[in-house]
DNA sequence: ATCCTCCCCTAC
DNA sequence: TAAGGTAGGGGAGGAT
């Protein structure tokens, strides 16, 4: 038990005797083969057997498609791997361990297309029994099956992963807040304080935690402990599976000497090969190299990192909160375009997705990067893996924006610009991604709900919104614990703003799947009670398992998934050229390859989409669902509220959360704003709505007309991104996707006179304003700001003011105030000052 | 020297 | 068939 055990048994934590300064103790908790453990929880017959989680359900075989060349690809990757090493030094067999990725060439010698090859479905996780046979995570199922014909395939179950992850974190959080969430099944905990307070040894704590996890989840976790993160992680390797190990400082030297360098964090395939090329395979060998040499060879930081890590030195703190630095969306599967426009539309969808993600994290970004994967010259047109990207080159381009933005319009405009500059052959595109960097918090969202605006201005709201509830609980917690920051545990890759407590937040993100509420567990064992912290509820962000495993489609809620699949099957041969926009979009990913995914394309209702007059299809990895646990813990009325809000959002394909009511409006106003749209037959249709209801092909002429305006504008602005492309398209009388999509418009109206007449019609023909319309106007105005068309904005606002003052209806006036408020907020954000209307 | 930009590598 | 995503960090090399 060593030092600490002795210490603990000789002195209680409460003792006034000054104990020697306790050594730090870091604990690394890691579930054992997470997906598998969860997947077979309820199948005891699979326990103890070789099991793999994969998409392939069959026998690990597939039919080779014509024109593919798996052998070629395999050779390419082998060669590429060896390139990492310098010529003269021969690299050991170790390499071969990394070359299993492509199927056995013996199976590819076929002459006809009927040849059966091995399944290329990847193994996300495999049991320890499978590992013993040589199967590894990431291996293709086909080959694994050859290795072990007995191998059992188990399908993904993201819901279950999430449940287990929640329980895991709930358990950990009942002991301490000093948690760094590494992933959904893995966490670092600083237990130094607990040891001091309780006098328990790390081993004792680990035993308690592990048994609690096992009991609650029916899955095992292993725990590694050490005086720093590095040692704790190394200890975990030794502990696994279903074990625990404390790597004592005094045994580090002996332990680490024979470890291969690739166990060090930050040492992957490439570094491993590079080190091998200078004759270094183990940490012991690495220790022989002087720091300056390492830094010269691998760069200053990497060199220092290697120098320290191979000696077991690590001073990184357990970071309970991390600031998110980028938001991105990337799809490198199933991408096959035959026409430029398909790629453009795809980019627009991706931009929408980025907007959504930025909204969710409450951020805007200033630097934008477009990344495209292009089939490498000479690579087979169709990769061996169905829908895969095959051998590719990456092409990227970035731009720094004038102002931070979260707007899909601005993003897509810039992205399309970059895309056109790339001048790519779209048929060779195999993957597309957009990233947003240089993030800053965006507080715009706080004002965009008219209903809450009404409430705050009428001060009659009695019920507490879900968000208020969360907010209150967080603030309370923070104060209770003297924390200056949100006590949320920041997930490595899903951290949000970093200071949500300070923001007037109504971020819907807080309702998404990734937040779980942690309550003090009810009954527990005596010894766990002794060390358990008594706390109330806190919130934890849990990254959806789909982030760990990229099976996005699987992660979609079943109903959405169905829709996606239907979209695919219903749409065999889209006739792109002369059909309307909506139709053409379905062809995006289907292009040549009959693929459903790509982006999990989802068709939206269109009409109520203010941001999207055409009725788009949206790229939609929408993982967001309300966590059942959080949900159950809420008061019934709040549950109802949440349900309604969620349903609405869901119906809209979760695309524009700004459009949902928070339902915090007093019952009376709620009826006034909502009823009209839903139940009662509308007597007077909103002109704004009217416009939107028109199906895409009907508004097509408008769009073409509109395109001319854009063209004119572009001639004035030679730097504009799309001019060359534009001319071509308009001469063909096609719809110019990007112009239509990008410019601020109110229900399709772009010209001032059209906007005016639309507004006039709206105010004069409608008795009371509907929230949806108001939001549309807000959006239009803020889009004008984004586009820096302040002149137009000024005219529009003034005109609206005149109109509404004439009406003298208080609701209309309130609507105007609301619109103006939002405009000013955005003005303040972008220009640092508000608009003055004379 | 210190940045910015375009990559690549790594982890999960 | 298959579902190759997301984010952080650092190095090379040019711009300032």
């Amino acid at each position: 038990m060593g030092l600490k055990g002795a210490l603990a048994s000789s002195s209680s934590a409460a003792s006034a005797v000054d104990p020697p300064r306790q050594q730090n103790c870091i604990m690394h908790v890691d579930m054992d083969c997470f997906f598998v453990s969860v997947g077979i929880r309820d199948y005891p017959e699979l326990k103890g057997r070789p099991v793999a989680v994969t998409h392939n359900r069959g026998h690990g075989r597939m039919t080779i498609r014509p024109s593919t060349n798996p052998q070629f690809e395999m050779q390419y990757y082998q060669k590429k791997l060896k390139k990492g090493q310098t010529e003269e030094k021969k690299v050991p067999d170790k390499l071969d361990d990394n070359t299993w990725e492509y199927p056995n060439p013996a199976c590819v010698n076929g002459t006809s297309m009927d040849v059966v090859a091995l399944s290329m479905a990847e193994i996300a996780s495999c049991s320890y029994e499978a590992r013993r046979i040589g199967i590894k995570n990431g291996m293709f199922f086909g080959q694994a099956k050859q290795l072990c014909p007995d191998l059992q395939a188990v399908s993904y179950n993201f819901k279950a992963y999430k449940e287990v992850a929640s329980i895991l974190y709930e358990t950990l959080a009942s002991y301490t807040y000093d948690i760094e969430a590494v992933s959904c099944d893995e966490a670092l905990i600083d237990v130094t304080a607990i040891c001091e307070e309780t006098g328990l040894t790390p081993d004792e704590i680990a035993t308690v935690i592990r048994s609690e996890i096992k009991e609650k989840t029916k899955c095992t976790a292993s725990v590694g402990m050490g005086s720093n993160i590095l040692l704790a992680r190394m200890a975990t390797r030794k502990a696994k599976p279903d074990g625990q190990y404390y790597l004592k400082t005094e045994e580090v030297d002996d332990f680490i000497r024979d470890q291969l360098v690739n166990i060090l964090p930050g040492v992957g395939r490439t570094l491993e090969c590079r080190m091998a090329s200078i004759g270094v395979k183990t940490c012991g060998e690495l220790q022989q190299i002087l720091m300056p040499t390492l830094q010269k060879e691998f760069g200053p930081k990497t060199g220092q990192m290697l120098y320290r890590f191979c000696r077991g030195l690590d001073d990184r703190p357990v970071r309970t909160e991390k600031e998110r630095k980028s938001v991105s969306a990337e799809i490198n599967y199933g991408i096959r375009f035959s026409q430029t426009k398909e790629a453009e539309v795809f980019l627009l969808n991706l931009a929408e997705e980025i907007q959504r993600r930025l909204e969710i994290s409450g951020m805007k970004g200033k630097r934008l990067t477009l990344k495209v994967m292009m089939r490498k010259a000479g690579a087979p047109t169709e990769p061996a893996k169905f829908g895969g990207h095959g051998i590719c080159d990456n092409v990227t381009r970035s731009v720094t924006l004038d102002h931070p933005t979260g707007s899909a319009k601005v993003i897509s405009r810039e992205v399309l610009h970059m895309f056109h500059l790339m001048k790519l052959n779209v048929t060779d595109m195999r993957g597309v991604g957009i990233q947003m960097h240089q993030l800053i918090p965006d507080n715009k969202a706080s004002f965009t709900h008219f209903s809450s605006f009404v409430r705050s201005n009428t001060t009659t709201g009695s019920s507490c919104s879900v968000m208020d509830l969360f907010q209150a609980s967080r603030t309370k917690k923070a104060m209770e614990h003297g924390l200056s920051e949100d006590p949320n545990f920041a997930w490595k890759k899903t951290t949000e703003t970093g200071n949500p407590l300070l923001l007037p937040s109504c971020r819907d993100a807080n309702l998404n799947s990734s937040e779980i509420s942690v309550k003090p567990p009810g009954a527990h064992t005596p010894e766990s009670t002794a060390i358990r912290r008594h706390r109330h509820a806190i919130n934890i962000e849990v990254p959806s398992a789909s982030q760990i495993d990229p099976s996005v489609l699987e992660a979609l809620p079943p109903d959405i998934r169905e829709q996606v699949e239907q979209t695919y099957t219903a749409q065999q041969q889209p006739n792109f050229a002369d059909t309307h926009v909506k139709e053409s979009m379905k062809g995006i990913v289907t292009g040549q390859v009959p693929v459903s995914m790509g982006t999990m394309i989802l068709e939206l209702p269109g009409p109520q989409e203010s941001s999207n007059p055409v009725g788009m299809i949206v790229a939609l990895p929408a993982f967001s669902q309300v966590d059942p646990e959080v949900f159950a813990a809420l008061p019934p009325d709040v549950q109802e509220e949440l349900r309604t809000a969620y349903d609405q959002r869901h119906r809209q394909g979760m695309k524009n959360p700004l459009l949902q009511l928070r339902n915090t409006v007093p019952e009376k106003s709620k009826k006034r704003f909502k009823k009209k749209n839903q139940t009662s037959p509308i007597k007077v249709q909103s002109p704004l709505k009217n416009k939107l209801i028109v199906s895409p092909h009907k508004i097509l002429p408008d769009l073409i007309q509109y395109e001319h305006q854009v063209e004119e504008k572009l001639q004035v602005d030679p730097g504009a991104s799309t001019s060359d492309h534009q001319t071509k398209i308009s001469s063909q009388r096609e719809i110019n996707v990007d112009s239509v999509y990008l410019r601020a418009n109110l229900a399709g109206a772009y010209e001032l006179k059209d906007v005016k007449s639309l507004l006039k019609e709206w105010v004069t023909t409608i008795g009371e304003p509907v929230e949806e319309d108001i939001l549309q106007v807000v959006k239009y105005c803020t889009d004008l700001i984004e586009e820096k068309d302040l002149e137009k904005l000024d005219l529009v606002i003034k005109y609206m003011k005149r109109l509404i003052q004439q009406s003298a209806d208080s609701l209309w006036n309130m609507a105007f105030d609301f619109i103006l408020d939002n405009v000013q907020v955005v003005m303040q954000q972008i220009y640092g000052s508000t608009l003055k209307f004379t």
Side-chain angles (χ1 to χ4, degrees):
Chain A
M1 195 128 307
L3 181 69
K4 259 174 241 160
L7 196 77
S9 49
S10 65
S11 70
S12 95
S15 156
V17 181
D18 230 20
R21 176 94 182 93
Q22 184 116 16
Q23 197 187 22
N24 273 351
C25 181
I26 310 299
M27 194 177 268
H28 180 228
V29 181
D30 191 2
M31 304 293 287
D32 301 317
C33 47
F34 187 57
F35 283 13
V36 167
S37 312
V38 176
I40 65 174
R41 271 190 310 174
D42 302 318
Y43 301 96
E45 68 274 16
L46 290 181
K47 280 180 188 145
R49 293 190 50 193
V51 173
V53 173
T54 166
H55 284 294
N56 187 297
R57 278 162 193 53
H59 300 86
R61 310 227 156 228
M62 62 170 188
T63 302
I64 288 192
R65 288 166 299 128
S67 83
T68 64
N69 192 344
Q71 216 166 356
F72 179 90
E73 291 182 37
M74 185 183 66
Q75 282 166 3
Y76 173 82
Y77 284 110
Q78 275 177 344
K79 218 193 249 172
K80 195 180 171 191
L81 208 66
K82 286 191 176 128
K83 235 175 66 183
Q85 312 151 19
T86 45
E87 275 77 338
E88 58 275 14
K89 313 256 176 177
K90 180 74 195 95
V91 181
D93 316 333
K94 188 80 193 80
L95 249 188
D96 296 340
D97 282 4
N98 294 317
T99 54
W100 42 256
E101 295 148 300
Y102 286 88
N104 188 337
C107 305
V108 198
N109 58 0
T111 48
S112 79
M113 45 223 263
D114 283 69
V115 173
V116 170
L118 302 175
S119 160
M120 294 182 88
E122 279 180 35
I123 291 173
S125 172
C126 61
S127 66
Y128 279 85
E129 291 74 18
R131 291 179 203 205
R132 240 168 268 139
I133 301 166
I135 292 164
K136 294 177 184 176
N137 292 348
M139 187 182 277
F140 289 143
F141 186 68
Q143 198 196 350
K145 191 82 180 169
Q146 270 199 327
L147 225 51
C148 170
D150 194 29
L151 183 65
Q152 274 294 318
V154 168
S155 38
Y156 290 86
N157 184 351
F158 285 91
K159 189 162 166 273
Y161 307 147
K162 216 182 90 191
E163 278 166 20
V164 174
S166 297
I167 298 172
L168 166 69
Y169 275 92
E170 193 177 286
T171 306
L172 300 180
S174 68
Y175 293 92
T176 177
Y177 278 171
D178 289 328
I179 300 177
E180 174 176 335
V182 179
S183 72
C184 77
D185 71 327
E186 190 179 343
L188 290 162
I189 314 175
D190 191 334
V191 292
T192 313
I194 301 182
C195 292
E196 273 173 23
E197 285 167 25
T198 64
L200 291 168
T201 64
D203 261 310
E204 286 167 331
I205 297 169
T207 307
V208 172
I209 290 180
R210 285 205 307 122
S211 70
E212 189 173 330
I213 291 170
K214 195 169 182 172
E215 181 199 325
K216 286 181 177 171
T217 66
K218 293 193 272 175
C219 298
T220 61
S222 297
V223 171
M225 292 152 286
S227 58
N228 62 39
I229 294 178
L230 175 69
L231 298 179
R233 299 188 87 125
M234 293 201 303
T236 308
R237 296 174 145 268
K238 203 161 165 147
K240 275 180 172 296
D242 192 17
Q244 61 188 62
Y245 187 75
Y246 188 128
L247 183 52
K248 289 192 279 294
T249 306
E250 53 267 32
E251 59 178 306
V252 170
D253 283 347
D254 289 333
F255 175 83
I256 210 166
R257 194 173 300 121
D258 299 325
Q259 299 289 327
L260 296 175
V261 288
N262 63 18
I263 68 150
L264 301 176
V267 179
R269 279 209 301 219
T270 306
L271 259 189
E272 186 192 351
C273 286
R274 285 174 64 191
M275 280 190 260
S277 74
I278 56 170
V280 172
K281 273 182 286 179
T282 65
C283 291
E285 287 160 0
L286 188 52
Q287 286 173 8
Q288 303 307 308
I289 303 181
L290 300 172
M291 172 92 98
T293 314
L294 287 174
Q295 290 186 315
K296 197 168 154 245
E297 190 78 18
F298 302 105
K301 298 249 184 146
T302 310
Q304 193 193 42
M305 179 266 285
L306 292 172
Y307 183 87
R308 291 177 56 80
F309 280 1
C310 71
R311 289 166 173 77
L313 302 173
D314 180 11
D315 54 9
R316 294 170 299 167
V318 170
R319 289 173 46 83
T320 55
E321 34 195 82
K322 296 176 201 158
E323 206 180 331
R324 178 192 262 262
K325 294 191 172 156
S326 70
V327 170
S328 70
E330 192 169 336
I331 290 169
N332 304 313
Y333 185 81
I335 299 291
R336 300 294 184 277
F337 301 127
S338 56
Q339 300 178 46
T340 304
K341 191 165 296 167
E342 294 168 339
E344 290 170 346
V345 172
F346 193 87
L347 286 168
L348 297 184
N349 288 322
L350 211 52
E352 289 269 347
E353 180 56 26
I354 291 289
Q355 176 185 43
R356 223 196 94 249
R357 292 184 188 187
L358 285 168
E359 263 166 24
I360 285 173
S361 52
M363 304 294 247
K364 302 201 303 185
K366 204 154 184 295
R367 187 159 180 83
L368 196 60
T369 302
L370 170 66
K371 174 189 153 189
V372 183
M373 291 187 86
M374 297 294 291
R375 179 178 72 89
K376 202 178 185 66
T381 318
E382 264 317 297
K385 181 172 187 149
F386 177 83
H389 57 55
I391 302 170
C392 281
D393 289 321
N394 287 331
V395 187
T396 65
R397 208 161 280 232
S398 323
V399 65
T400 303
L401 308 172
D402 294 342
H403 309 287
T405 190
S407 148
K409 288 190 183 181
V410 176
I411 294 169
S412 41
R413 181 169 64 216
E414 296 298 335
V415 162
L416 284 177
H417 185 197
M418 291 189 277
F419 179 64
H420 292 140
L421 288 177
M422 288 174 168
K423 297 197 190 310
L424 302 170
N425 178 4
V426 291
T427 55
D428 285 336
M429 287 175 72
R430 293 292 178 270
V432 182
I434 301 178
Q435 291 135 299
M436 189 66 102
H437 298 264
Q438 296 186 15
L439 304 183
I440 58 154
D442 176 21
N443 37 15
K444 180 157 94 191
S446 57
F447 243 114
T448 32
H449 296 282
F450 183 50
S451 40
S452 56
F453 176 85
V454 169
R455 183 186 51 152
S456 66
N457 278 269
T458 51
T459 67
T460 48
S462 58
S463 77
C464 187
S465 85
V466 175
M467 268 332 301
D468 295 345
L469 194 111
F470 276 118
Q471 212 61 40
S473 117
R474 287 170 165 204
T475 315
K476 190 163 150 250
K477 285 326 292 175
M479 292 192 298
E480 270 174 27
H481 296 280
L483 300 172
S484 62
E485 297 255 15
D486 190 338
N488 280 2
F489 307 124
W491 283 88
K492 190 173 171 207
K493 285 152 197 164
T494 53
T495 322
E496 292 184 8
T497 68
N499 58 349
L501 284 178
L502 307 174
L503 296 172
S505 168
C506 67
R507 293 170 304 143
D508 299 305
N510 292 322
L511 302 183
N512 77 15
S513 62
S514 56
E515 186 137 333
I516 63 171
S517 172
V518 175
K519 302 172 290 296
H524 28 65
T525 57
E527 73 260 56
S528 70
T529 315
I531 49 173
R532 192 187 302 278
R533 298 233 155 189
H534 292 282
R535 300 185 188 278
H536 307 288
I538 58 158
N539 297 315
I540 300 182
E541 277 174 47
V542 178
S544 86
S546 55
Q547 279 185 285
I548 286 96
D549 185 283
S551 324
V552 185
L553 190 56
E554 200 67 42
L556 292 168
D559 49 342
I560 294 180
R561 194 164 66 226
E562 261 167 48
Q563 215 177 329
V564 171
E565 275 152 13
Q566 278 166 16
T567 305
Y568 156 55
T569 42
Q571 185 66 38
Q572 292 301 345
Q573 287 295 326
N575 182 4
F576 182 82
D578 59 336
T579 179
H580 58 73
V581 177
K582 199 167 163 186
E583 195 79 67
S584 70
M585 285 167 182
K586 288 182 183 169
I588 300 175
V589 189
T590 49
Q592 294 181 332
V593 182
V595 183
S596 65
M597 64 305 295
T599 48
M600 327 355 124
I601 297 276
L602 183 66
E603 194 177 343
L604 289 184
Q608 66 268 58
E609 293 301 329
S610 63
S611 62
N612 180 8
V614 204
M616 278 269 178
I617 298 173
V618 173
L620 215 226
F623 319 123
S624 298
Q625 274 175 313
V626 180
D627 187 279
E629 258 177 273
V630 181
F631 195 77
L634 297 170
D637 52 330
V638 184
Q639 282 191 11
E640 186 48 44
E641 176 189 323
L642 181 52
R643 194 176 289 129
T644 319
Y646 183 72
D647 284 351
Q648 279 180 11
R649 184 174 175 177
H650 216 237
R651 226 178 297 125
Q652 293 167 6
M654 338 247 319
K655 185 179 155 211
N656 192 345
L658 300 186
L659 282 183
Q660 32 166 338
L661 271 174
R662 264 172 108 194
N663 286 349
T664 49
V665 200
E667 222 31 53
K668 219 167 144 194
S669 355
K670 205 195 269 185
K671 267 182 208 146
R672 301 175 86 172
F673 290 118
K674 296 278 336 176
K675 268 271 168 68
K676 210 172 265 182
N677 278 345
Q678 297 182 337
T679 47
S680 65
I682 307 161
K683 283 179 191 151
V684 188
Q685 239 327 322
S686 157
L688 303 182
K689 197 170 177 79
N690 238 341
K691 269 281 182 185
L692 289 177
I693 280 171
V694 177
S695 68
H697 63 276
K698 286 192 187 145
I699 58 171
L700 198 60
D702 288 9
L703 300 181
I704 290 172
Q705 188 189 1
Y706 170 64
E707 183 185 283
H708 280 300
Q709 293 152 4
V710 174
E711 246 183 293
E712 280 167 34
K713 208 173 171 171
L714 285 172
Q715 281 167 5
V716 187
D717 176 12
S721 58
T722 48
S723 42
D724 48 356
H725 177 69
Q726 212 131 41
T727 328
K728 198 176 115 215
I729 287 185
S730 52
S731 67
Q732 292 169 359
R733 283 278 139 211
E734 287 177 5
I735 308 149
N736 185 321
V737 185
D738 73 45
S739 64
V740 164
Y741 186 75
L742 295 179
R743 303 295 162 170
N745 65 81
L746 183 63
Y750 170 79
E751 285 285 303
L752 184 62
K753 65 174 167 51
D754 299 332
V755 172
K756 277 184 171 178
S757 65
L758 204 55
L759 286 171
K760 183 169 187 175
E761 202 186 335
W762 181 43
V763 177
T764 53
T765 59
I766 302 289
E768 285 171 4
V770 177
E771 165 147 356
E772 200 176 299
D773 293 338
I774 297 167
L775 289 175
Q776 239 192 97
V777 175
V778 168
K779 179 131 182 42
Y780 171 63
C781 291
T782 53
D783 284 346
L784 284 177
I785 302 176
E786 296 263 14
E787 291 182 12
K788 297 180 212 141
D789 199 345
L790 298 187
E791 203 178 321
K792 202 182 214 173
L793 174 71
D794 185 61
L795 294 172
V796 167
I797 300 262
K798 278 182 190 157
Y799 182 74
M800 212 169 6
K801 191 174 182 185
R802 277 205 303 278
L803 276 175
I804 286 176
Q805 275 172 349
Q806 284 165 18
S807 89
D809 178 292
S810 70
L811 264 174
W812 275 104
N813 276 295
M814 215 183 276
F816 178 75
D817 289 345
F818 173 76
I819 292 164
L820 192 57
D821 267 344
N822 274 279
V823 165
Q824 300 291 27
V825 166
V826 178
M827 279 298 299
Q828 182 68 45
Q829 262 179 1
I830 293 185
Y831 289 95
S833 69
T834 52
L835 266 186
K836 288 186 186 53
F837 299 97
T838 46

